[in-house]
Amino acid sequence: MSYVNLDDRIHASNIPAIPDIARNFLQLYVNHTFDQASFLKLQQLYPDFFGRLLAVINSDHFNLTTKVDSVEEAIRLAGFERVCQLMLCLVVHRTLSAIRIRGVDQMLFWEDSLRRAVSARMIGELIGLDASLCFTAGLLQDVGFLLLFLLSPNKGMLWAEFRKREPDARYSMERNIFNMNHDQAMELFCQQWQLQEIIARPVLAHHRCDKLESSELDTQLCRVLHCADWMAAVYVAVDKNFVINRCRQILSEEFEMERFRTEELLAAIPDEIDLTSIVLGIPIKEHIKFSQVLFEANIKLSEDNLNFQELTLRLEQALDERDRLAAELNKELGLAREIQRSLLPPDMGEHFPLTGINISARDLSGDFYDYFTLPDGRIYFNLGDVSGKGVNAALLMAKTSSLFRGLGKRIDHPGELLAQINIELCETSIHGMFVTLIAGIYDPKTGLLKLVNAGNPPALLFTPQGLAREIEAAAPPLGVIEDTVFPEIVLNLGDNSLYMFSDGVTEGYTESGETLGLSGLFKTIATLPEQLTSHQRIERIVKRIQHNAESPLRDDVTILLLEK
Amino acid sequence: MKYPETEKNGFMVISLTGEVDLNYSPVARQQILKCLKQNKNLLVDLSLVEYIDSSGVASLVEGFQLARQQKQFFALVGVSRAAMQVLHLARLDKVFPIFDTIDAALASQ
């Protein structure tokens, strides 16, 4: 079963056969037959055509000194090659323009072709290349473009769109729409008309001259055609500024043409094609003047400029808006920071068993600590760290801290308290955020301490002699899994000191650039002078990772110290 | 930036690499969730992780929670020393199913 839509097929058979008149003439040319009788015979067979051909040869276009009456005479004076080229231009135009292709305006197509032809001829004249050859190749170089529509008759509606594009864009658009390029279509044509030996090589390669492996003449001609393609596009492409600039660039690169010379050539095109169209009998329709091209280009330029100004204005407005929002956000952040600080407990002085510090690495902290005294004199305390940073972490921190205070007044056992908070956090879990928490209840009267460590770095219990014991986490953090059990350890604090801290302390950088680590913290605490107050000791620890007021912290730092 | 994803015996394997911190954990999170939302069983390979912070661990926790809820298989494999230290410290090594190799994880099913 075939899925090919008949209308989408390339109809190679749509390419018209070479007319007899051209085939016979080309045969004579290729075989170098130059006898009067053969030409006379041809002239008698096609009197109208040769009448036209002789009229062109006798016109200013050919610039002959003597008027000629016969083909044989024309060949003698103008050269076989030039006459053959002219014949080809006339036959190809006559044959193809007789075919109606829906959607394609053939008159405009040939007008565009004439622009290429006169452009090629003008460049050829400047660089000393055969002007007639350049003209012929220029006229025929994009015949393949017309053939594409002849081969795919249902695509004719796109012709006007194609015409507006500059050469490179059109070339890639051809590949997308037709699955072939105009040079490939032209190749089919050259095969059918047996033009391979005449102008095929440079014409077929004018979009990729650097790939052409041929004579110096072919390569030069190819480059001329490439430039001519862009020069003609100045008159029809939409983005005129771009095409004019590209023309200047290409002509400068290919032939070291100065900028003013390029513009002179471009400006000369309209008059040249007016004359040529009359001589060759190829009618034209649009007669676009260069002043019109420049006018449109300038309008486009001022439009672009206006767009640019508008863009600048919008950008300024956007920046103002951003500043306004940033100011608002900073105000909100300031408020949030204030609220967050208010969640930390007040400093109770040296006689209270707990001393804490919280320094945030950013505006808002994900760490917290808290303590409060129950009616019977026991003290509940906690130190926690929320995963992640920023507003999310701060909000979860506030929630956990509030739950701890609220539920702590009713639940005596820290393990049970954490289990309750955990259930609450799991129920409203978002983005997998969790809270590591170390919490306990301390009775100053008896020294009894119940402690739970849920995913927090170990607490360090120091004896007055500087010996330490690590109290590691016995349960995962809060907010991970609902049915978690939080085991308590019970001990007598006695004269010992319990240091609790967030991972920002052990992960902080020391002055030498290394992380402090647990062993570093251990050493720091063990070597603290005995006479220091709890506040001073905490400050000394912080100094290990915050060397001066300006040095940035890697993470929030929180320390809570419990001692009798 | 995207972490490598492979498929083995019908299991997706996402291989986290380097430093899975605040900058890269959103990428890990997105890939893990996308995979689980496509109802695939998932193994997260941590053998090439050099550092993972709490936001990175949170991405794993979220994946773990979603898989539990949707009754899908979710496990960590080949956990590097650096990553294991973090997981162990927080006792999360007791929460996540952890296997030495992908094959060992597959064999458990």
Side-chain angles (χ1 to χ4, degrees):
Chain A
M1 190 166 145
S2 167
Y3 291 96
V4 176
N5 181 345
L6 275 179
D7 279 353
D8 281 341
R9 282 188 191 162
I10 296 288
H11 298 272
S13 58
N14 281 2
I15 294 182
I18 182 169
D20 289 345
I21 181 175
R23 200 184 55 243
N24 293 338
F25 198 100
L26 284 174
Q27 226 156 33
L28 296 177
Y29 174 72
V30 173
N31 297 334
H32 303 285
T33 312
F34 190 75
D35 65 277
Q36 207 174 349
S38 306
F39 289 116
L40 201 61
K41 198 176 150 198
L42 266 184
Q43 208 170 338
Q44 280 165 352
L45 266 172
Y46 310 101
D48 291 349
F49 177 81
F50 283 103
R52 270 271 313 284
L53 186 113
L54 290 178
V56 175
I57 291 173
N58 284 324
S59 72
D60 291 343
H61 185 75
F62 262 73
N63 215 9
L64 294 185
T65 45
T66 329
K67 204 165 177 282
V68 291
D69 292 321
S70 69
V71 179
E72 182 254 331
E73 205 178 347
I75 289 171
R76 233 175 338 102
L77 285 178
F80 206 162
E81 212 158 23
R82 288 179 75 190
V83 176
C84 187
Q85 286 160 0
L86 175 64
M87 180 279 305
L88 208 54
C89 287
L90 294 177
V91 174
V92 171
H93 170 253
R94 200 178 69 164
T95 310
L96 293 180
S97 62
I99 305 170
R100 223 180 100 70
I101 310 169
R102 202 170 44 157
V104 178
D105 188 330
Q106 282 244 23
M107 210 192 266
L108 291 183
F109 171 79
W110 287 104
E111 185 169 339
D112 297 343
S113 297
L114 273 178
R115 285 195 190 95
R116 289 184 203 99
V118 298
S119 302
R121 183 175 63 200
M122 288 190 294
I123 306 170
E125 277 166 355
L126 277 177
I127 64 164
L129 218 59
D130 179 354
S132 164
L133 176 66
C134 291
F135 180 90
T136 308
L139 191 78
L140 302 182
Q141 74 181 82
D142 269 14
V143 159
F145 178 53
L146 188 67
L147 295 172
L148 282 175
F149 292 94
L150 197 61
L151 294 170
S152 302
N154 63 330
K155 307 260 167 69
M157 295 309 159
L158 293 168
W159 182 77
E161 267 310 305
F162 269 96
R163 187 173 179 246
K164 281 191 254 171
R165 308 292 169 105
E166 41 88 1
D168 283 349
R170 211 181 67 187
Y171 196 72
S172 53
M173 191 169 156
E174 286 170 2
R175 175 122 317 261
N176 291 333
I177 304 284
F178 296 101
N179 206 22
M180 73 190 298
N181 289 116
H182 67 273
D183 41 15
Q184 289 167 300
M186 187 61 178
E187 199 169 359
L188 291 175
F189 182 78
C190 288
Q191 281 165 9
Q192 192 135 322
W193 282 44
Q194 292 172 350
L195 301 180
Q196 289 95 328
E197 295 305 313
I198 303 180
I199 46 151
R201 276 189 304 270
V203 163
L204 295 180
H206 74 272
H207 277 273
R208 43 194 166 84
C209 298
D210 51 330
K211 302 262 167 26
L212 181 65
E213 286 171 4
S214 189
S215 64
E216 177 63 24
L217 174 69
D218 278 355
T219 310
Q220 281 283 83
L221 179 57
C222 188
R223 290 161 64 205
V224 168
L225 298 181
H226 176 57
C227 294
D229 211 3
W230 280 90
M231 286 173 68
V234 165
Y235 283 81
V236 286
V238 173
D239 194 347
K240 299 204 168 358
N241 287 306
F242 172 74
V243 183
I244 291 174
N245 282 329
R246 186 89 180 97
C247 267
R248 287 172 183 147
Q249 189 193 351
I250 294 174
L251 281 158
S252 156
E253 280 169 12
E254 297 283 6
F255 304 113
E256 291 172 4
M257 193 93 71
E258 289 164 83
R259 195 187 161 104
F260 79 93
R261 178 72 72 195
T262 301
E263 276 173 32
E264 273 178 10
L265 288 180
L266 284 172
I269 292 175
D271 287 344
E272 287 284 326
I273 69 163
D274 278 355
L275 284 173
T276 315
S277 106
I278 297 165
V279 172
L280 293 185
I282 298 178
I284 55 171
K285 197 167 159 183
E286 285 191 328
H287 294 278
I288 307 169
K289 296 284 170 205
F290 192 56
S291 55
Q292 194 181 332
V293 169
L294 287 180
F295 178 69
E296 280 178 35
N298 285 335
I299 285 189
K300 178 81 171 44
L301 203 63
S302 57
E303 274 174 7
D304 287 349
N305 197 28
L306 276 178
N307 286 341
F308 181 69
Q309 282 175 9
E310 197 181 316
L311 201 69
T312 311
L313 190 71
R314 283 206 194 142
L315 193 65
E316 275 170 8
Q317 285 170 345
L319 287 175
D320 288 348
E321 179 71 4
R322 190 202 61 178
D323 289 348
R324 194 181 61 75
L325 287 173
E328 258 177 40
L329 196 64
N330 273 335
K331 207 170 127 193
E332 300 281 323
L333 271 177
L335 275 175
R337 202 160 37 225
E338 233 172 86
I339 293 171
Q340 199 172 41
R341 300 238 57 100
S342 76
L343 292 174
L344 294 175
D347 184 356
M348 306 291 281
E350 284 299 324
H351 299 294
F352 190 74
L354 285 145
T355 313
I357 193 166
N358 166 251
I359 309 166
S360 55
R362 295 167 154 218
D363 283 328
L364 295 174
S365 175
D367 282 7
F368 62 97
Y369 71 90
D370 196 10
Y371 43 72
F372 54 89
T373 310
L374 295 171
D376 62 5
R378 288 181 301 161
I379 305 166
Y380 245 131
F381 60 86
N382 68 35
L383 177 146
D385 182 358
V386 177
S387 64
K389 302 222 167 9
V391 178
N392 285 349
L395 288 174
L396 190 58
M397 170 251 159
K399 183 175 177 180
T400 311
S401 181
S402 313
L403 280 170
F404 192 91
R405 268 203 175 229
L407 296 172
K409 284 165 189 162
R410 291 193 279 113
I411 303 172
D412 253 3
H413 300 281
E416 201 183 313
L417 174 59
L418 263 58
Q420 285 295 320
I421 299 173
N422 179 50
I423 290 169
E424 288 287 330
L425 295 185
C426 283
E427 273 177 16
T428 52
S429 159
I430 178 166
H431 284 206
M433 287 172 76
F434 55 86
V435 185
T436 67
L437 191 77
I438 185 161
I441 191 162
Y442 172 66
D443 188 344
K445 283 178 229 157
T446 60
L448 200 69
L449 171 67
K450 287 182 195 168
L451 196 68
V452 184
N453 186 349
N456 204 70
L460 299 177
L461 185 71
F462 270 83
T463 66
Q465 293 75 34
L467 297 173
R469 173 188 161 191
E470 284 180 34
I471 302 171
E472 288 189 326
L478 309 180
V480 176
I481 190 163
E482 273 184 34
D483 43 11
T484 307
V485 175
F486 297 91
E488 290 174 5
I489 60 159
V490 182
L491 53 97
N492 198 308
L493 184 67
D495 293 329
N496 301 325
S497 306
L498 183 72
Y499 288 87
M500 295 162 276
F501 54 91
S502 65
D503 61 1
V505 177
T506 44
E507 285 183 13
Y509 292 119
T510 63
E511 212 155 5
S512 61
E514 288 162 2
T515 50
L516 179 63
L518 192 60
S519 58
L521 177 63
F522 196 92
K523 267 184 220 158
T524 306
I525 298 172
T527 54
L528 288 171
E530 220 174 295
Q531 70 280 12
L532 294 182
T533 64
S534 55
H535 285 90
Q536 288 168 330
R537 275 179 281 157
I538 288 179
E539 275 167 26
R540 287 282 181 98
I541 297 169
V542 171
K543 268 229 160 100
R544 289 282 284 139
I545 47 171
Q546 193 178 37
H547 325 114
N548 56 58
E550 283 83 43
S551 62
L553 287 169
R554 190 182 183 190
D555 195 0
D556 303 332
V557 166
T558 308
I559 304 172
L560 185 62
L561 170 58
L562 170 69
E563 55 191 5
K564 194 162 73 173
Chain B
M1 144 92 197
K2 196 179 178 209
Y3 291 110
E5 287 178 7
T6 48
E7 201 160 351
K8 193 165 182 188
N9 296 358
F11 280 63
M12 280 299 291
V13 182
I14 298 176
S15 303
L16 304 187
T17 55
E19 303 200 345
V20 188
D21 58 11
L22 213 54
N23 296 317
Y24 295 107
S25 60
V27 182
R29 172 178 185 262
Q30 202 188 10
Q31 280 183 248
I32 290 172
L33 295 186
K34 189 177 169 198
C35 184
L36 290 170
K37 280 174 186 163
Q38 288 168 351
N39 278 321
K40 289 175 181 160
N41 291 319
L42 177 64
L43 304 177
V44 183
D45 184 347
L46 301 182
S47 56
L48 296 174
V49 169
E50 287 157 18
Y51 171 80
I52 184 163
D53 75 353
S54 60
S55 70
V57 176
S59 304
L60 300 177
V61 168
E62 192 177 7
F64 166 76
Q65 289 172 333
L66 180 65
R68 223 165 103 95
Q69 199 186 320
Q70 298 186 160
K71 300 196 173 16
Q72 286 164 269
F73 185 70
F74 176 95
L76 309 180
V77 293
V79 181
S80 69
R81 216 173 137 224
M84 190 55 105
Q85 265 180 351
V86 174
L87 296 181
H88 176 72
L89 193 70
R91 288 296 174 271
L92 282 165
D93 54 343
K94 302 283 177 260
V95 174
F96 293 114
I98 296 178
F99 295 92
D100 287 344
T101 60
I102 294 171
D103 287 336
L106 295 178
S108 77
Q109 286 301 293

